[in-house]
Amino acid sequence: MATLTVYSNSGGDGGLGTHRTSYSSAHDAASADDNQQTNVQNTLGNDKETDSSWFVYRIFLPFDTSSLPDDATINSATLSVFCNDVRNIVSDSINAVQTTQASGTSLASSDLSLVTTTTVSTAIGWSSMVESAYNDWILNATGLAFINKTGYTKLALRTTGDINNSTPTEYSGGIYFYCADQVGTSQDPKLVIDYTENTTTSTTTSTSTSSTSSSTTKTDTTTTTSTSSTSTSTSSTSPSSTSSS
């Protein structure tokens, strides 16, 4: 078994968020009001501030997993993201989902809506998040199958309320995670993949058949038979007639 550790791309990871006067407009927005691509600390939340103030924040995490062997069997994988700060505890949770982020190397405001509701792990409760430490999402079968052996595996963190499009009823202030713009890699988002490389050995057996050719010389013998014919000649003597006078 082998292990591959991949850190998120500094150009492609980060937080995207909206701040609108209605929850539906914040949740369904096609483009972000706030692009945190270059921020060291990125916001995650699904929040009601007032009756006319709502925000939704998602964190995008693309990983270049193209160095995996094409024939690898992926046994397990863990998404680890370093939590810097947890604000007000609310009755929500955080999960990892698949995205269709346009590029693995850049984060556009228009990527905000390119998230899915397909979860790739078990959610972690808001109250269970640990500050100043990595928090781990163990990928499920759907997540393992989503890992891309030829390019970027594009994941995101969303709150469960955001995934379910549930209008929040309380103020959270958000959770803050480090992304790849943090100095070094000791607190960068990472995807750790355990896999088995399947080596196929091909054995070719060559069978040689020798053919023996027998040549038979056939001698034709022609026998010529000569038949001698003997001819017998018979002489016949006629008696003389005598006449008397």
Side-chain angles (χ1 to χ4, degrees):
M1 184 181 294
T3 299
L4 175 67
T5 299
V6 187
Y7 295 96
S8 60
N9 185 283
S10 61
D13 72 359
L16 294 177
T18 55
H19 195 174
R20 303 290 175 89
T21 56
S22 71
Y23 178 67
S24 60
S25 62
H27 181 273
D28 300 334
S31 185
D33 305 321
D34 183 14
N35 187 328
Q36 301 178 343
Q37 179 184 3
T38 59
N39 289 19
V40 169
Q41 181 174 270
N42 294 265
T43 310
L44 178 72
N46 191 63
D47 198 7
K48 174 184 179 180
E49 291 185 314
T50 67
D51 286 341
S52 59
S53 181
W54 311 80
F55 75 74
V56 175
Y57 274 83
R58 300 154 185 161
I59 292 179
F60 290 75
L61 302 167
F63 298 92
D64 184 0
T65 48
S66 61
S67 61
L68 283 168
D70 291 342
D71 64 349
T73 297
I74 298 173
N75 304 307
S76 64
T78 302
L79 171 66
S80 300
V81 189
F82 197 96
C83 177
N84 181 52
D85 185 17
V86 178
R87 300 292 170 90
N88 302 331
I89 301 300
V90 295
S91 54
D92 206 343
S93 56
I94 299 93
N95 210 337
V97 300
Q98 300 174 6
T99 83
T100 58
Q101 182 177 346
S103 170
T105 58
S106 64
L107 181 64
S109 295
S110 56
D111 289 327
L112 176 71
S113 60
L114 301 183
V115 289
T116 72
T117 57
T118 303
T119 58
V120 297
S121 67
T122 300
I124 299 176
W126 193 287
S127 61
S128 298
M129 297 299 300
V130 180
E131 289 184 335
S132 302
Y134 274 113
N135 289 260
D136 298 334
W137 286 265
I138 309 300
L139 267 60
N140 55 26
T142 300
L144 298 182
F146 186 65
I147 292 175
N148 188 353
K149 298 175 187 176
T150 60
Y152 278 86
T153 298
K154 300 172 182 177
L155 304 175
L157 293 181
R158 300 180 72 179
T159 69
T160 300
D162 176 21
I163 294 170
N164 295 334
N165 195 13
S166 299
T167 303
T169 59
E170 50 194 335
Y171 174 71
S172 69
I175 297 181
Y176 296 86
F177 294 94
Y178 284 141
C179 283
D181 289 286
Q182 173 74 350
V183 176
T185 58
S186 63
Q187 296 172 327
D188 285 3
K190 60 184 177 179
L191 185 62
V192 180
I193 304 168
D194 288 328
Y195 67 93
T196 302
E197 185 173 0
N198 300 309
T199 302
T200 303
T201 303
S202 178
T203 303
T204 303
T205 302
S206 178
T207 303
S208 178
T209 303
S210 297
S211 176
T212 302
S213 177
S214 297
S215 177
T216 302
T217 302
K218 183 178 180 181
T219 303
D220 290 332
T221 303
T222 302
T223 303
T224 303
T225 304
S226 297
T227 304
S228 298
S229 179
T230 304
S231 179
T232 305
S233 179
T234 306
S235 296
S236 178
T237 304
S238 295
S240 296
S241 287
T242 300
S243 173
S244 296
S245 59

